[in-house]
Amino acid sequence: MFMAIDVTTGWETVIGLEVHAQITTDTKMYCSCPSVNSTELTEANRYVCPVCLGHPGTLPRPNRQAVVRALTLALKLGSQINERSVFARKNYFYPDLPKGYQISQYDLPLAEGGELPYWHNNAKHTARLVRIHLEEDTARLFHLDDGTAVLDYNRGGVPLIEIVSQPDFHDPAECVAYLDELRGLLQRLRVSEAAMESGNMRCEPNISVRPRGSTELRTKTEIKNLNSFATLRRAVEAEAQRQIELYESGQTVHQATMRYDEARGITVPMRVKETADDYRYFDDPDIPPLVITKRLLDSAGEDVRASIFELRQMMAEEDGISHEMAATIADDRILHRFYRLCCKDGHDNREVAKWVTGELVRLLREKPLRTEPGELSKVLGKLKSNELTLPQARDVFETIYLTGKTCEAVVQEKQYSGADAIPLEQVCREVIAANPQIVADIQAGKTNAVQVLVGAVMKKTRGGADPQSTRQLLLRLLNAG
Amino acid sequence: MRELLVKPGHELLDLIEQGEIDHAELQEAQYQFARGIDERVNAFISWDEEVEHQEWRLPMVDQDLPRQFHRLPYAAKDIFTTKGLQTTAGSRILKGYVPPYDASCVSHLRHAKNHLMGKTNLDEFAMGSSGEMSAYGVTRNPWDFDYVPGGSSSGSAVAVAACQSVMALGTDTGGSVRQPASFCGIVGYRPTYGMISRYGLIAYSSSCDQAGIFARDTLDVALTMNTVSKPDERDSTCQATGDIDFYTDTQRDVHWNKLRVGVIKPLMDSARIDAPVLTNFQASLKAMTDAGAEIVELDFPLVDYYLAAYYIIVCAECSSNLARYDGIRYGIVSDDEDLLARYRSVRSRGFGAEVKRRILLGTYVLSAGYYDAYYDRARQLRRDVREQLEAMFTKVDVLATPTSPVLPFKIGEHIQDPVQMYLSDLCTVFINLAGTGGINIPNGFGERDGAKLPTGIQFVCAPFRDNLLLRIGHQFEQLTGWKYQPPQWVLDELNA
């Protein structure tokens, strides 16, 4: 376990995250070629033109739609939007970069600062952001078995948004929680499809370690090409371990770009990089500074609202939940996150929507959230497999929410077992046998007294029985008796 | 028909419109003449061999438009992309490169049914001031074949001067239109940055590059501007509106007695300016004073610094602009299996010495640790140049300087001394730093080692006052009775 390393060695890991996501737009960042999602299988080099192939004499033209979408995210994260931001050239040679430079942003990015709250280990964390900027994707390079390489420029020039966090993370699990939250936000705002598995959202962690208790920032390394949360977690652990071992054996860590070797479970350097200035950044003379006008901001603000509206429509039409519930869920970040993740776990949309708008909304009014959607998902799983009855499930979730305990722990503690496992009829008979006076009253016509027996059954089954059916069963047994 | 080829385009257009001559015959005569004499001057790299000219089948130019450069032959510097016609930028690295698209201004000229005869020679990637830096041979000055025609738009200047073309497109990054125009004795105009789209203009220094026009007189320049100065959404830096009628505007009167002409004292200093150049410049000033103009002497404290700032900026930008020539998608290729070896092979063989020098200089000034000392200071200096020029234009309507501080020099004279070569840009580069417009108007000849060589005066306007600049250029031609007369051997050929 990662935490074990920290505790035993006295080293603390410091992680910052750079996230790249392809912005959902009709055309590429600097030309009018269709911007195709990298998961779509298309003929290689189909969506290319002289501009995105870097032909001599061509010029870039920034995509307004990409700017608006990026602004939408910046507004939502509370970032400071630079009224005037500048496109800069990042110069390096590689075949996937047709111009020999990538048009990105450097000194003056689109937006700076902002924060993203997220939940991890039942506690609220806030990730502080450094900057949000626009850039273009590179082409795809495929190495063939015969040693040659082929290029597909369809992806070259697709708009990217880069979101850089402060080095605020100390544990890969925290990174994953943050990334998951960011992914949900990008999707909800329709800024990006943000699917890591298809490569339209990528994450590059930068890692350093320091003696526990110290506040210094030591030399960091960067890991590239991570394509899942699981890989990210293992890669960060391996890299932190490598650095700790270096320091403990009296060596130092050099700034480098690393690659994670999945098979061997270790990180290996890709290339040594002296400083970031090797890229010889300078303002791109082909693009005048981007001035954020009120009109652009209004469109972005409109998009924030519109994306929520669209989301409601979609949930109502595609998920089949009521418009009212859809509206409640879409408008709230927490509700939507619970809804999205539980549905993703395979639970019925309408069932999840009921829980989220019912139980969760009620509990949120009582106490601030400290529970992960995964816990609700587990409760729903147990309900579905009849390990819990509906009232038990409600009780378990409430306890989880209020105490911060896990689903397993609460079920264990309450010794709940599912309705099917309880021989309800036997319990009822026992209760009837133990309460002759009440039975006599009922049989004398005081039918309301049956509630006392119901209560006794509930007590005996620790709430596992359904009160309605218990009542009917009791009455039937008494009549029969 | 041949004898007509000495006339400016607007006069030829009159003849075409009056039905006196047939434009197809004119173009044929022009094409044959140009090819016939080119081995003497080497102005062209490639010719449009197309027999049936596609342009002529295009619909007529909209009659509601102001007068256009229309149905006339022209040439373009081989740095403008031309669909289906090889474009080399004067470099070996682009040998055989056939662009898939037309530069915006080429496309405008095509739609106005003009015939592009071919692509003209230039210093490789527009880096040079002499026409000696091309991978396709040296271009010669038609006034004396031992002398350079200036650069970098050498072939375009020569083509117009030697009557190989009515008009030619060039590019001007530091004087590459005005200086060769001066060396060849014709009119050369560089508009304010943004007046002509840069789309399809192979980049050298994006913040200084601007397309320009060579012609026999200012009216032809104005005629061409009506056709090529158009808004272009493919170039984010293009600021042309397309709603100025330059041709009509240029013919409006300038009241010399209301005109304040600024002269820059340090650019009239005999330590910096050759005697014959200075003599002709003083004579031009006198002609304007006699007409009633007020001459205002101005100081320019940055005169000793801006050349250095200019070279830092253009080298920095070129190091990045030329990174795309990697032998992967177009141009010459390499068989090396290793990626780095490929880059090395293609770029070592493909680029000439001057281009390599500037890429190295540019890479250096942008590098970590040197950026602040060089590039950043150059940018600051550029802002200061802009401010000083702005201040000058509060006192004067137009500036006048010699276009080149020297007469044309001999082929090979400065080839070993790049700094001496850079110094010949002294009078032209500051307007590129400031992003404004300038024009060369021929103002006489000077003698050097028995050779009779042209000189020119440069007028400079405040940004986007180009219509005033052209008007002044035109009026100056009227004042001095200017009419283009080519070198005698060209006249002899025309009348042969």
Side-chain angles (χ1 to χ4, degrees):
Chain A
M1 258 300 274
F2 182 81
M3 292 301 285
I5 294 169
D6 277 4
V7 173
T8 55
T9 63
W11 292 90
E12 181 183 49
T13 312
V14 181
I15 312 159
L17 294 170
E18 258 179 41
V19 172
H20 289 92
Q22 287 181 346
I23 307 175
T24 309
T25 52
D26 300 329
T27 56
K28 289 188 180 180
M29 187 63 212
Y30 303 111
C31 66
S32 54
C33 285
S35 187
V36 225
N37 185 313
S38 42
T39 52
E40 285 175 42
L41 285 172
T42 46
E43 183 194 330
N45 297 309
R46 181 167 171 200
Y47 300 109
V48 295
C49 72
V51 178
C52 58
L53 286 179
H55 269 261
T58 56
L59 295 169
R61 189 179 154 73
N63 181 335
R64 186 180 188 274
Q65 198 184 17
V67 172
V68 171
R69 301 235 150 150
L71 283 174
T72 307
L73 180 73
L75 283 175
K76 195 74 188 168
L77 294 173
S79 308
Q80 181 66 43
I81 291 163
N82 284 321
E83 203 182 309
R84 190 177 156 278
S85 73
V86 172
F87 289 94
R89 292 186 185 177
K90 179 179 182 179
N91 295 285
Y92 65 95
F93 282 94
Y94 207 59
D96 66 4
L97 198 61
K99 298 186 292 294
Y101 56 84
Q102 178 192 37
I103 308 175
S104 176
Q105 295 194 295
Y106 191 57
D107 279 339
L108 276 171
L110 185 79
E112 292 173 85
E115 52 185 47
L116 179 62
Y118 65 98
W119 287 86
H120 174 60
N121 276 348
N122 295 327
K124 186 180 177 181
H125 295 242
T126 298
R128 296 172 303 150
L129 303 175
V130 179
R131 54 191 273 144
I132 295 174
H133 75 240
L134 287 160
E135 59 185 37
E136 58 181 330
D137 212 340
T138 55
R140 299 179 78 189
L141 185 64
F142 300 91
H143 293 277
L144 305 181
D145 290 341
D146 65 358
T148 59
V150 290
L151 282 152
D152 176 7
Y153 289 95
N154 282 346
R155 197 184 71 178
V158 166
L160 287 182
I161 186 168
E162 178 171 329
I163 304 131
V164 183
S165 84
Q166 297 275 11
D168 279 355
F169 307 100
H170 301 287
D171 164 353
E174 267 176 21
C175 299
V176 170
Y178 159 81
L179 288 171
D180 190 49
E181 183 68 34
L182 182 59
R183 177 170 64 178
L185 187 62
L186 286 166
Q187 289 170 341
R188 271 195 319 133
L189 292 175
R190 304 255 166 145
V191 171
S192 171
E193 289 175 28
M196 248 181 125
E197 59 282 7
S198 59
N200 58 22
M201 175 168 160
R202 282 160 255 160
C203 174
E204 288 163 13
N206 55 68
I207 298 142
S208 64
V209 297
R210 65 185 172 201
R212 186 163 289 284
S214 143
T215 55
E216 67 177 325
L217 282 176
R218 295 196 172 187
T219 306
K220 65 184 178 191
T221 59
E222 198 177 278
I223 310 178
K224 284 210 193 282
N225 301 339
L226 299 173
N227 55 12
S228 74
F229 288 167
T231 323
L232 172 99
R233 194 188 297 249
R234 288 193 292 271
V236 171
E237 281 172 10
E239 175 58 17
Q241 186 61 45
R242 186 186 72 90
Q243 293 187 14
I244 292 166
E245 282 167 11
L246 279 173
Y247 285 127
E248 290 200 331
S249 64
Q251 301 174 64
T252 53
V253 170
H254 294 287
Q255 188 161 359
T257 303
M258 313 293 289
R259 179 175 61 80
Y260 181 60
D261 185 329
E262 186 86 65
R264 293 191 289 164
I266 56 165
T267 52
V268 288
M270 287 175 76
R271 56 178 184 241
V272 179
K273 136 171 143 176
E274 294 298 323
T275 69
D277 288 323
D278 256 4
Y279 289 125
R280 307 189 315 281
Y281 277 103
F282 73 102
D283 298 353
D284 191 337
D286 287 331
I287 308 177
L290 176 67
V291 176
I292 304 300
T293 56
K294 191 174 172 299
R295 242 177 76 203
L296 271 176
L297 270 184
D298 285 350
S299 324
E302 192 56 46
D303 275 6
V304 175
R305 288 185 289 278
S307 63
I308 287 167
F309 184 75
E310 274 175 40
L311 187 64
R312 275 189 209 175
Q313 292 286 105
M314 195 181 71
M315 284 167 60
E317 282 161 21
E318 292 172 20
D319 298 358
I321 65 173
S322 76
H323 279 273
E324 205 182 353
M325 278 187 184
T328 312
I329 295 171
D331 290 350
D332 189 282
R333 205 168 60 90
I334 295 171
L335 299 187
H336 183 259
R337 183 157 166 261
F338 271 77
Y339 175 78
R340 184 172 57 87
L341 291 175
C342 290
C343 290
K344 206 182 138 201
D345 283 349
H347 301 299
D348 177 66
N349 295 325
R350 276 165 294 192
E351 181 74 11
V352 175
K354 266 188 230 160
W355 275 79
V356 168
T357 54
E359 293 304 301
L360 186 58
V361 168
R362 183 176 65 78
L363 290 167
L364 279 167
R365 284 193 204 112
E366 286 183 22
K367 212 177 153 186
L369 180 79
R370 280 178 53 198
T371 308
E372 292 295 321
E375 298 301 323
L376 175 59
S377 185
K378 280 182 207 155
V379 172
L380 293 175
K382 288 190 187 295
L383 180 66
K384 196 171 163 192
S385 62
N386 290 324
E387 288 168 64
L388 290 175
T389 60
L390 185 62
Q392 283 176 341
R394 285 196 182 122
D395 182 42
V396 169
F397 184 62
E398 180 173 320
T399 314
I400 292 170
Y401 188 93
L402 297 175
T403 61
K405 291 176 183 160
T406 65
C407 176
E408 293 304 334
V410 173
V411 172
Q412 186 75 34
E413 198 172 279
K414 301 217 173 208
Q415 293 188 343
Y416 278 148
S417 48
D420 280 1
I422 300 167
L424 186 61
E425 194 171 322
Q426 193 193 320
V427 178
C428 288
R429 285 187 196 282
E430 281 170 24
V431 169
I432 288 169
N435 295 283
Q437 186 53 51
I438 293 166
V439 170
D441 285 351
I442 295 166
Q443 284 169 337
K446 286 184 179 175
T447 41
N448 278 345
V450 79
Q451 287 306 119
V452 180
L453 297 186
V454 172
V457 172
M458 295 303 285
K459 198 173 173 184
K460 260 188 126 70
T461 59
R462 296 174 201 279
D466 175 49
Q468 199 63 32
S469 44
T470 305
R471 183 186 153 94
Q472 278 165 7
L473 181 62
L474 283 169
L475 288 173
R476 189 165 56 83
L477 289 172
L478 289 173
N479 287 342
Chain B
M1 187 68 79
R2 253 190 188 186
E3 68 287 355
L4 296 176
L5 297 176
V6 70
K7 287 185 178 295
H10 55 92
E11 287 181 19
L12 292 169
L13 200 51
D14 288 342
L15 295 174
I16 294 170
E17 282 165 357
Q18 289 155 12
E20 306 261 326
I21 57 169
D22 176 66
H23 76 97
E25 281 175 31
L26 173 75
Q27 310 224 14
E28 190 53 29
Q30 178 72 85
Y31 190 72
Q32 295 305 333
F33 181 75
R35 285 199 83 152
I37 65 163
D38 198 55
E39 63 172 19
R40 301 197 212 174
V41 285
N42 193 28
F44 283 79
I45 292 179
S46 45
W47 300 91
D48 187 353
E49 307 270 3
E50 206 177 356
V51 185
E52 291 252 338
H53 301 301
Q54 299 287 342
E55 297 83 3
W56 299 347
R57 288 203 289 272
L58 292 169
M60 285 296 293
V61 172
D62 185 348
Q63 295 299 319
D64 295 336
L65 287 174
R67 201 173 200 205
Q68 303 282 307
F69 191 87
H70 176 41
R71 294 193 289 192
L72 293 169
Y74 78 102
K77 186 178 185 177
D78 203 18
I79 204 161
F80 291 90
T81 58
T82 44
K83 190 174 179 178
L85 184 61
Q86 178 188 245
T87 301
T88 67
S91 180
R92 192 174 167 208
I93 209 160
L94 280 176
K95 193 171 171 57
Y97 171 63
V98 178
Y101 74 105
D102 270 333
S104 291
C105 46
V106 169
S107 160
H108 293 319
L109 285 164
R110 214 186 272 290
H111 279 94
K113 301 177 105 173
N114 298 288
H115 175 220
L116 172 67
M117 290 189 303
K119 309 294 290 294
T120 61
N121 208 349
L122 67 153
D123 286 302
E124 186 178 0
F125 283 104
M127 299 177 199
S129 314
S130 69
E132 298 165 290
M133 306 296 180
S134 169
Y136 302 87
V138 175
T139 304
R140 293 173 185 277
N141 192 319
W143 293 96
D144 191 315
F145 296 149
D146 291 339
Y147 287 80
V148 303
S152 64
S153 311
S154 330
S156 286
V158 171
V160 172
C163 299
Q164 291 177 294
S165 179
V166 171
M167 181 277 285
L169 295 177
T171 62
D172 187 315
T173 306
S176 288
V177 165
R178 291 159 289 153
Q179 186 250 23
S182 169
F183 278 18
C184 293
I186 54 168
V187 174
Y189 163 61
R190 175 207 134 104
T192 295
Y193 185 81
M195 290 289 285
I196 301 178
S197 167
R198 286 189 300 116
Y199 192 78
L201 191 168
I202 297 180
Y204 157 24
S205 166
S206 316
S207 72
C208 295
D209 292 345
Q210 173 65 65
I213 298 160
F214 292 96
R216 302 210 175 99
D217 63 22
T218 307
L219 262 188
D220 271 8
V221 166
L223 197 62
T224 309
M225 279 300 276
N226 275 0
T227 307
V228 300
S229 178
K230 302 239 167 85
D232 188 358
E233 62 169 33
R234 288 170 300 184
D235 174 3
S236 307
T237 63
C238 182
Q239 295 190 60
T241 56
D243 53 14
I244 304 171
D245 178 356
F246 290 96
Y247 187 74
T248 308
D249 204 79
T250 297
Q251 296 177 75
R252 281 170 54 197
D253 275 346
V254 170
H255 300 290
W256 286 108
N257 55 2
K258 285 186 189 159
L259 202 71
R260 297 165 302 166
V261 178
V263 293
I264 295 168
K265 272 188 287 179
L267 295 182
M268 296 173 66
D269 181 348
S270 61
R272 291 190 177 92
I273 314 293
D274 275 5
V277 174
L278 201 53
T279 308
N280 288 355
F281 182 66
Q282 300 286 11
S284 298
L285 289 186
K286 182 160 185 310
M288 288 189 280
T289 322
D290 290 348
E294 182 193 348
I295 304 293
V296 182
E297 290 205 340
L298 300 164
D299 205 6
F300 198 175
L302 291 174
V303 81
D304 289 325
Y305 304 99
Y306 63 64
L307 207 56
Y310 167 80
Y311 273 97
I312 287 170
I313 287 169
V314 296
C315 288
E317 291 183 11
C318 100
S319 73
S320 169
N321 281 333
L322 271 58
R324 68 187 60 197
Y325 306 106
D326 55 8
I328 292 177
R329 292 162 307 280
Y330 42 74
I332 61 167
V333 295
S334 136
D335 294 335
D336 289 290
E337 291 199 350
D338 176 62
L339 182 64
L340 191 61
R342 253 173 206 252
Y343 286 157
R344 273 204 186 125
S345 160
V346 166
R347 291 171 70 85
S348 304
R349 285 183 293 129
F351 291 138
E354 182 62 27
V355 170
K356 283 179 192 157
R357 176 168 22 242
R358 294 192 195 189
I359 290 175
L360 287 174
L361 276 172
T363 306
Y364 178 80
V365 298
L366 285 176
S367 296
Y370 301 99
Y371 180 95
D372 292 342
Y374 294 103
Y375 186 70
D376 214 37
R377 282 177 73 186
R379 284 211 309 178
Q380 180 56 48
L381 213 122
R382 181 179 205 169
R383 285 191 282 270
D384 296 344
V385 164
R386 258 184 212 149
E387 279 171 22
Q388 291 196 359
L389 272 186
E390 238 168 66
M392 288 184 206
F393 282 111
T394 61
K395 297 183 194 128
V396 299
D397 303 301
V398 71
L399 295 174
T401 74
T403 305
S404 163
V406 293
L407 284 175
F409 41 90
K410 281 204 167 121
I411 290 170
E413 190 178 331
H414 292 329
I415 205 96
Q416 298 304 332
D417 188 355
V419 174
Q420 199 57 40
M421 187 89 88
Y422 297 170
L423 279 173
S424 69
D425 299 334
L426 181 69
C427 302
T428 47
V429 297
F430 70 89
I431 81 152
N432 300 70
L433 286 177
T436 187
I439 192 166
N440 172 73
I441 311 286
N443 70 345
F445 290 87
E447 215 186 275
R448 203 186 144 184
D449 298 340
K452 184 188 154 199
L453 300 160
T455 63
I457 180 171
Q458 170 181 246
F459 292 104
V460 179
C461 66
F464 299 105
R465 294 302 311 279
D466 295 67
N467 47 350
L468 175 68
L469 184 69
L470 295 186
R471 218 183 297 156
I472 291 170
H474 180 62
Q475 286 299 316
F476 182 78
E477 289 170 8
Q478 308 295 306
L479 203 62
T480 56
W482 165 254
K483 190 166 175 59
Y484 183 67
Q485 281 297 316
Q488 191 57 45
W489 70 271
V490 175
L491 276 177
D492 294 345
E493 287 289 335
L494 286 171
N495 295 314

